[in-house]
Amino acid sequence: MTIIALIIVLIALAIGTYTDFKTREVPDWVNKGLIAIGIGLSLLFSAIHSNWNYFLGSLAGFAAFFILAIVMYYSGQWGGGDSKMIMGIGAVIGFNLINFNLRESFLLIFLFNLLITGAVYGLLWSIALSIKNFKKLVKEFKKT
């Protein structure tokens, strides 16, 4: 299931990235489709293997990333499309509840890398804006 899930996530991310660059928003059909596919695939695998851990893992991944998405959306860091995309990724990848290992959890590694990448990107963007608006920065710095 992991290979199928990763391929689906990569396709959704590619479509979302393309449309985000082109129109500055991610279509709802991509995000909601990703959530539906994640939950549907987990239901299918649960039925095939007679083991509800796939479905519960998908719901746990969705719930964990739902909380992250709500926090980031209401703090103004992400838009609605970004928030729904991360919820879809959580639903598709899910948590491995059968053999849960904190060091090998894909979603936790993804979350950690997301936070580190976001911090580095924010720092570099702040430096770039400071250089671009250096005169305004000096003026405001002198006021303070």
Side-chain angles (χ1 to χ4, degrees):
M1 177 169 168
T2 306
I3 300 294
I4 295 169
L6 290 177
I7 291 170
I8 290 170
V9 167
L10 287 175
I11 290 170
L13 286 173
I15 294 168
T17 301
Y18 175 76
T19 57
D20 194 20
F21 280 138
K22 192 171 182 179
T23 64
R24 299 292 300 152
E25 66 180 47
V26 180
D28 281 341
W29 66 267
V30 174
N31 299 323
K32 292 178 181 175
L34 190 61
I35 294 169
I37 287 171
I39 293 174
L41 268 179
S42 67
L43 273 172
L44 179 67
F45 275 90
S46 291
I48 290 171
H49 296 289
S50 298
N51 185 351
W52 289 101
N53 286 328
Y54 293 107
F55 180 66
L56 296 175
S58 178
L59 289 180
F62 175 77
F65 275 53
F66 177 80
I67 292 168
L68 172 67
I70 293 297
V71 168
M72 296 302 275
Y73 177 75
Y74 284 111
S75 67
Q77 302 301 310
W78 290 349
D82 302 323
S83 299
K84 287 181 273 189
M85 181 66 78
I86 201 78
M87 288 186 267
I89 292 171
V92 172
I93 302 297
F95 280 115
N96 184 359
L97 298 176
I98 300 168
N99 298 319
F100 183 75
N101 184 350
L102 191 60
R103 291 186 178 164
E104 295 178 9
S105 174
F106 180 82
L107 285 180
L108 292 178
I109 293 168
F110 177 79
L111 177 62
F112 180 74
N113 287 327
L114 179 72
L115 294 174
I116 296 297
T117 305
V120 170
Y121 175 78
L123 180 64
L124 293 176
W125 186 252
S126 297
I127 292 170
L129 286 177
S130 298
I131 292 169
K132 182 181 176 185
N133 302 309
F134 187 73
K135 290 181 183 178
K136 292 178 185 177
L137 176 69
V138 170
K139 184 180 176 181
E140 289 296 319
F141 188 73
K142 285 181 181 179
K143 276 185 185 179
T144 358

